[in-house]
Amino acid sequence: MKQLNTSRSLGMRTLAVHGGQQPDALTGAIATPITAASAFSYPDFDSGARRFSGEEPGYIYSRFANPTVAVFEQKLAALEGAETAVACASGMAAISATLFALLVPGDEIIHIGTLYGGTEGVVRNLLPRYGIKPVHVVNVNELEAAFTKNTKVVLVETPANPGLDIADLAEIARLSKAAGAVSVADNTFATPYLTRPLELGIDIVLHSATKYISGHGDATGGVVAGSAALITPIRTLSLKQFGGNLSPFEASLLIRGLKTLPLRVEASSLSAQAVAEFLDGHSAVDAVFYPGLKQHPGHATASKQMKLFGGIMAIELKGGLNAARTFLDKLSIITQAVSLGDTDSLACHPASTTHSAVAPEIRRQSGITDGMVRISIGIEDTEDLIADMQQALEGL
């Protein structure tokens, strides 16, 4: 069996290609085979009993574990520097399983800044049904004062969706540990190539793998990584009780996506920087929210905890809703769609799409206006993307 030389620290591109996988033992295939099996045989009665009790390793049922899915989990864990990871059917399955595994009635969860609309729904609407109290703070400066004896989890997205707010992960980790709370960071926008939250002291990192990890707009999944002590109960809840397991077919696509993650993220980040600088000087644009711009309030923190500044930005158009509609409808290379992190550049209107289910007053507090457009830069030529935006902005 091929073994990676771990006598020195491996680079992210090497880990993305080789981490967590081996050539197939049966055929020598380099690409991980898709194990399309719902159940797995065991040699005898006693072996089956030991596998179900956890006394003996081995696959038994694909809802619990699958060889293809396991490779994806191991590869993602290697990239995040985690002890282990659990794959889920979607990003929302990942966040839901994590929060319900960590929280019980009477607990409190502090959420910082803006969250993805689906996550906002779970935190603000679903958790309170089960006696779990959400506590919102605008930024890290308000975090320490928000802790109580009932605080068990601190949740943050950075960069945040859709306004690209930046939170200091090392400070969140420090304050959470001092209060005895588990810190959870959604790393979907940054990916492990740009930010490694666990190295900054965060306890659990999660992703909507549908986004940059897939990278090609053809797979849906989620993943949670951290220590075995924290991930094991999440795995049990997500797979055995919620039944939110990842398909081996989706896992195969996500493995493929991870192999090119560093290349894609670097290309989109470099292009996004140039696009943000162009938009920042345009007369029809009131504001550009991108941490790579020096005037962004989170620029200094992002410079400290990110390798590059990512491929996502948001803009505020001076003409409000009508300008946003006209701009989006005039784009020709950039596609209107609500996802992000694809090879294709995508753009959407958060107030009427990704965050439409969020209460209007919460949207206003989060800066999600009718004139905001979120843009995910893909891997197209930068000059072509700028030209597309330039023609779409004409006359606004």
Side-chain angles (χ1 to χ4, degrees):
M1 180 179 290
K2 183 183 75 170
Q3 293 292 333
L4 288 178
N5 181 356
T6 56
S7 60
R8 59 182 296 277
S9 179
L10 297 175
M12 291 292 285
R13 283 163 59 170
T14 303
L15 283 174
V17 174
H18 297 284
Q21 70 179 79
Q22 299 283 345
D24 182 54
L26 181 63
T27 66
I30 296 171
T32 302
I34 299 172
T35 305
S38 57
F40 300 84
S41 66
Y42 34 87
D44 53 46
F45 180 97
D46 291 334
S47 178
R50 288 193 299 270
R51 289 189 187 186
F52 269 86
S53 69
E55 299 172 62
E56 177 183 300
Y59 294 100
I60 47 180
Y61 192 54
S62 269
R63 178 160 58 82
F64 303 162
N66 173 279
T68 312
V69 175
V71 170
F72 168 63
E73 293 172 339
Q74 291 158 16
K75 186 178 287 290
L76 189 282
L79 286 169
E80 284 287 8
E83 185 179 1
T84 190
V86 56
C88 306
S90 67
M92 285 309 303
I95 188 70
S96 298
T98 298
L99 297 184
F100 278 102
L102 296 175
L103 296 162
V104 298
D107 288 347
E108 295 180 4
I109 174 174
I110 299 175
H111 54 111
I112 303 171
T114 306
L115 300 173
Y116 165 62
T119 307
E120 286 269 7
V122 171
V123 172
R124 292 181 183 268
N125 302 325
L126 187 57
L127 292 182
R129 296 186 195 178
Y130 298 90
I132 299 163
K133 179 183 176 182
V135 177
H136 178 248
V137 298
V138 173
N139 54 47
V140 180
N141 295 333
E142 299 180 0
L143 178 57
E144 189 169 17
F147 285 108
T148 74
K149 61 182 177 60
N150 295 323
T151 304
K152 296 299 186 293
V153 171
V154 175
L155 174 64
V156 67
E157 290 179 15
T158 186
N161 185 0
L164 282 298
D165 299 324
I166 300 295
D168 188 328
L169 291 174
E171 182 66 2
I172 292 168
R174 184 185 71 81
L175 293 172
S176 298
K177 282 181 171 56
V182 175
S183 53
V184 180
D186 186 327
N187 202 29
T188 298
F189 272 32
T191 80
Y193 183 64
L194 300 182
T195 304
R196 287 160 65 90
L198 301 181
E199 290 184 355
L200 297 170
I202 294 293
D203 295 309
I204 292 174
V205 60
L206 57 84
H207 298 263
S208 170
T210 311
K211 311 303 192 297
Y212 277 108
I213 288 173
S214 164
H216 295 77
D218 55 8
T220 302
V223 65
V224 190
S227 68
L230 289 172
I231 298 301
T232 297
I234 298 172
R235 177 182 294 278
T236 299
L237 183 74
S238 177
L239 306 185
K240 293 188 177 181
Q241 295 165 340
F242 282 176
N245 58 295
L246 183 68
S247 155
F249 296 96
E250 304 286 284
S252 178
L253 293 171
L254 297 176
I255 292 166
R256 182 202 61 182
L258 278 177
K259 283 177 177 277
T260 62
L261 178 74
L263 302 176
R264 290 183 288 100
V265 171
E266 181 157 322
S268 69
S269 297
L270 295 174
S271 190
Q273 183 72 39
V275 169
E277 290 169 3
F278 159 74
L279 291 169
D280 188 46
H282 199 284
S283 60
V285 179
D286 196 39
V288 179
F289 308 100
Y290 183 69
L293 297 176
K294 291 184 179 179
Q295 70 267 27
H296 189 285
H299 177 73
T301 301
S303 299
K304 180 177 63 175
Q305 68 187 27
M306 299 181 74
K307 181 182 177 71
L308 295 167
F309 298 105
I312 315 295
M313 68 188 68
I315 60 174
E316 179 74 28
L317 292 168
K318 290 181 179 178
L321 178 62
N322 289 333
R325 178 187 291 111
T326 300
F327 172 71
L328 285 165
D329 285 347
K330 286 176 67 177
L331 292 170
S332 62
I333 294 174
I334 301 168
T335 303
Q336 282 196 67
V338 296
S339 194
L340 55 95
D342 286 1
T343 53
D344 300 40
S345 291
L346 308 173
C348 73
H349 182 247
S352 63
T353 59
T354 58
H355 290 71
S356 60
V358 176
E361 63 272 21
I362 301 299
R363 286 206 304 268
R364 285 193 293 272
Q365 290 169 15
S366 301
I368 304 170
T369 67
D370 286 343
M372 176 181 276
V373 173
R374 190 188 73 192
I375 305 168
S376 171
I377 299 298
I379 62 170
E380 302 95 338
D381 289 294
T382 308
E383 297 77 9
D384 294 332
L385 295 175
I386 290 176
D388 191 29
M389 292 188 202
Q390 191 165 28
Q391 64 83 25
L393 288 167
E394 286 178 6
L396 295 185

